[in-house]
Amino acid sequence: MASIDHISAAGTARTDKPRGMWAQGWARFRRNRTGMLGLGLVSFVVLVAILSPLIAPYAANDQSAMMNFGSRSGPSLAHPFGTDRMGYDVLTRIVYGAPTALAVGLGTMLVASVLGLLIGGISGYVGGWADEVMMRLTEFFLVLPVFVVILAVVRLFGVIVVGTPLEDIPYLNLTTIVLLLGLFGWPPIARIARAEFMRLKSMEFVEAARCIGATRSDILLRHILPNAMPSLVVVIALGIGSAILSEAMVSFLGFGDPEAISWGQLLYFNYAQLKVSPWASIAPSTAIFITVLGFNLLADGLSDAFNPRVK
């Protein structure tokens, strides 16, 4: 009987083994309805982007609707979201705009994350004069108006495309837009990284790693960075939605890449006909709204799940 109790106690001990930080965060996240709604919206957009060549009803540059229906037609069985003034099927252009939106959001935050982690991590871990210099640099980038800089770059380095609806208007290609947004999107990540690195560098497990002879790079990459990531994931998820909205605004102003199908570009081409064909503007606006809302709700759920003050 005693041996059975001993085995049962041992099994219970193994079952009650403390879960890791990520496992606990995921368990809290699953109970967060806001976060799960955001995850569902983001998953839907990602699925549309991956399957865009398969689910789009027409080819990306198919303008045959102009020959059959004139310059534009309302929603119908053949064109559920209608067609625009250039004869494109609106649903097709929205589907093909999803990969562009995700590429902009993820690419921008990749650039911003690398810069933010590098500058914020060094600032928080080293401290002293390096911290002062890097934080003043961060504050300088925080107060710079990103859209004024983008407009200046367009005027100075923009490429003029000839033979398109954007003739004689300079524009920036998609890669340049991603780099510019990333170069101005790193300060929030740097500030969070600095705070986390300053907090974690004095923790007991970091001191223990120093005592056993761990190098500085090992301490930063294997001990501090993984424990700082939950807080950073929140601001990165929030920044993806912000980057998608920023690219849409740049394209809506007419400075986006005409060779890339984007939702902001659809608004630029069709907003003048809003009273005549509102479907051509409402559909891409709704796509932008759903995507940005999804990432914002996802960030809100992640914040509640990985907030150390939440039990």
Side-chain angles (χ1 to χ4, degrees):
M1 187 71 178
S3 60
I4 296 177
D5 292 340
H6 177 73
I7 294 173
S8 176
T12 303
R14 286 194 296 269
T15 304
D16 296 339
K17 182 180 179 181
R19 293 180 296 175
M21 173 181 58
W22 290 100
Q24 295 179 31
W26 170 244
R28 287 194 295 266
F29 181 82
R30 286 186 300 176
R31 296 192 296 268
N32 189 297
R33 295 182 179 179
T34 300
M36 291 303 293
L37 175 60
L39 180 61
L41 293 176
V42 171
S43 300
F44 172 74
V45 176
V46 171
L47 190 64
V48 170
I50 294 174
L51 300 178
S52 56
L54 301 177
I55 64 177
Y58 298 93
N61 297 314
D62 186 358
Q63 294 177 279
S64 59
M66 182 175 290
M67 301 173 59
N68 299 329
F69 300 96
S71 60
R72 53 183 172 266
S73 65
S76 63
L77 291 177
H79 303 280
F81 289 179
T83 61
D84 62 11
R85 67 183 182 88
M86 302 181 67
Y88 291 119
D89 178 68
V90 176
L91 176 58
T92 297
R93 303 289 280 187
I94 289 176
V95 169
Y96 276 103
T100 302
L102 292 180
V104 169
L106 297 176
T108 296
M109 294 317 296
L110 177 62
V111 175
S113 298
V114 171
L115 292 174
L117 282 173
L118 185 63
I119 295 175
I122 294 175
S123 176
Y125 187 80
V126 176
W129 64 268
D131 180 30
E132 289 292 329
V133 171
M134 291 183 178
M135 284 301 100
R136 299 297 81 78
L137 177 66
T138 302
E139 292 170 358
F140 172 75
F141 273 86
L142 277 174
V143 300
L144 278 178
V146 59
F147 279 101
V148 174
V149 175
I150 289 177
L151 293 179
V153 172
V154 168
R155 182 56 57 186
L156 294 175
F157 305 104
V159 180
I160 295 180
V161 60
V162 179
T164 72
L166 297 178
E167 185 174 356
D168 297 333
I169 298 179
Y171 74 93
L172 298 177
N173 60 40
L174 204 61
T175 302
T176 304
I177 294 174
V178 168
L179 291 176
L180 283 174
L181 293 177
L183 288 174
F184 287 90
W186 61 265
I189 299 176
R191 296 181 69 157
I192 297 295
R194 173 181 179 268
E196 288 296 303
F197 275 60
M198 289 183 68
R199 178 180 68 87
L200 292 169
K201 71 178 183 180
S202 58
M203 299 290 285
E204 293 180 356
F205 67 90
V206 175
E207 294 294 336
R210 289 196 186 98
C211 292
I212 63 175
T215 63
R216 177 173 293 185
S217 61
D218 285 338
I219 292 175
L220 288 172
L221 298 178
R222 298 181 59 184
H223 298 282
I224 295 181
L225 182 59
N227 288 277
M229 282 307 297
S231 298
L232 294 171
V233 165
V234 175
V235 69
I236 290 173
L238 197 62
I240 293 174
S242 178
I244 292 172
L245 186 60
S246 297
E247 188 277 331
M249 293 174 67
V250 171
S251 296
F252 177 72
L253 293 174
F255 303 117
D257 191 345
E259 299 179 359
I261 302 174
S262 72
W263 297 328
Q265 182 192 83
L266 299 181
L267 290 173
Y268 171 71
F269 284 143
N270 296 293
Y271 78 94
Q273 285 76 34
L274 183 60
K275 293 183 178 180
V276 180
S277 53
W279 56 83
S281 297
I282 292 175
S285 301
T286 304
I288 295 171
F289 171 76
I290 290 175
T291 305
V292 175
L293 176 66
F295 278 106
N296 287 351
L297 293 179
L298 178 63
D300 185 66
L302 290 173
S303 177
D304 291 341
F306 291 103
N307 191 334
R309 293 183 293 274
V310 177
K311 293 184 180 180

